[in-house]
Amino acid sequence: IAGITQAPTSQILAAGRRMTLRCTQDMRHNAMYWYRQDLGLGLRLIHYSNTAGTTGKGEVPDGYSVSRANTDDFPLTLASAVPSQTSVYFCASSPDSSGANVLTFGAGSRLTVL
Amino acid sequence: GQNIDQPTEMTATEGAIVQINCTYQTSGFNGLFWYQQHAGEAPTFLSYNVLDGLEEKGRFSSFLSRSKGYSYLLLKELQMKDSASYLCAVSDSNYQLIWGAGTKLIIKP
């Protein structure tokens, strides 16, 4: 089934540890995104990639990094996790980065930093 | 700054009609989206409006007024499975999506 796969589904992490959230899509979409979702707030964009080999910073990029070595994969890395990074993380993709594109979301990764 | 406002929570009765409003102030406008998100799940696309007027899709309709910075999502013949959060998002001048915090819709029998 075409879509986006995220891993892990859930993780508890000690503060200061490094963590990579994985995201893979099989729809050959050019654009990919990482969002975090916190109670009472809208989805906030962390980083994005309009095409393989390029990345850009979103609204809340500090403490996170991404890479886009190929079309399918878009991992998100927390270099040194802090409790404020406790959140649900959604990876999403769209055919391209123009305004009319519908986003397809992964199932999410729930991260708790203690 | 850019801002999307929608009610935090609404309650409606099974079989009834509910209207969820969204007002926005953004730098530029390249369309407005509505997504549905069931608890613990990912958002899924419902509708897209870029021109003024009403778009109907089955039991769901979405309306846009660009001059008023206003949209609504209309849900008819409510079913229990419609209990979810409804997210309004606007594509700004840079084609970045600005998201509202979502409206949690509770359906009662």
Side-chain angles (χ1 to χ4, degrees):
Chain A
I1 299 176
I4 296 182
T5 302
Q6 288 187 234
T9 302
S10 179
Q11 182 77 45
I12 299 174
L13 187 67
R17 297 297 294 268
R18 180 183 179 89
M19 177 72 193
T20 295
L21 304 180
R22 300 182 298 279
C23 175
T24 300
Q25 55 107 354
D26 62 2
M27 297 173 286
R28 308 305 293 172
H29 283 176
N30 283 317
M32 297 188 74
Y33 313 85
W34 273 106
Y35 286 95
R36 60 177 291 173
Q37 187 174 42
D38 303 289
L39 199 62
L41 299 177
L43 287 164
R44 291 184 291 169
L45 183 65
I46 304 170
H47 285 286
Y48 65 93
S49 169
N50 289 335
T51 188
T54 69
T55 62
K57 294 182 179 181
E59 180 186 356
V60 289
D62 294 344
Y64 305 94
S65 63
V66 292
S67 62
R68 185 88 185 276
N70 57 60
T71 298
D72 299 343
D73 301 299
F74 191 44
L76 176 74
T77 297
L78 290 69
S80 179
V82 295
S84 62
Q85 292 177 312
T86 293
S87 187
V88 179
Y89 291 86
F90 286 102
C91 180
S93 71
S94 62
D96 59 50
S97 54
S98 67
N101 275 282
V102 173
L103 266 59
T104 299
F105 286 85
S109 295
R110 181 176 295 274
L111 183 66
T112 302
V113 183
L114 301 176
Chain B
Q2 307 202 92
N3 194 50
I4 309 285
D5 285 319
Q6 47 181 135
T8 302
E9 187 174 297
M10 300 181 70
T11 302
T13 304
E14 190 177 16
I17 299 173
V18 70
Q19 177 176 311
I20 302 173
N21 296 326
C22 171
T23 58
Y24 63 89
Q25 290 178 305
T26 57
S27 56
F29 180 83
N30 281 301
L32 185 144
F33 296 81
W34 285 96
Y35 283 77
Q36 180 189 58
Q37 185 177 25
H38 285 101
E41 298 183 8
T44 56
F45 171 75
L46 285 178
S47 67
Y48 171 70
N49 294 69
V50 66
L51 300 177
D52 291 350
L54 187 69
E55 295 277 345
E56 296 186 79
K57 192 184 295 186
R59 294 189 298 114
F60 292 9
S61 302
S62 56
F63 172 83
L64 175 67
S65 169
R66 288 172 295 170
S67 62
K68 295 183 179 179
Y70 168 69
S71 172
Y72 67 73
L73 181 68
L74 191 72
L75 290 73
K76 302 177 184 177
E77 302 170 14
L78 286 170
Q79 302 175 10
M80 297 303 293
K81 68 178 182 179
D82 297 330
S83 292
S85 290
Y86 292 85
L87 314 181
C88 175
V90 172
S91 178
D92 70 8
S93 57
N94 295 317
Y95 298 106
Q96 295 284 359
L97 281 179
I98 311 301
W99 294 83
T103 299
K104 182 178 181 180
L105 178 63
I106 299 168
I107 309 296
K108 295 186 174 180

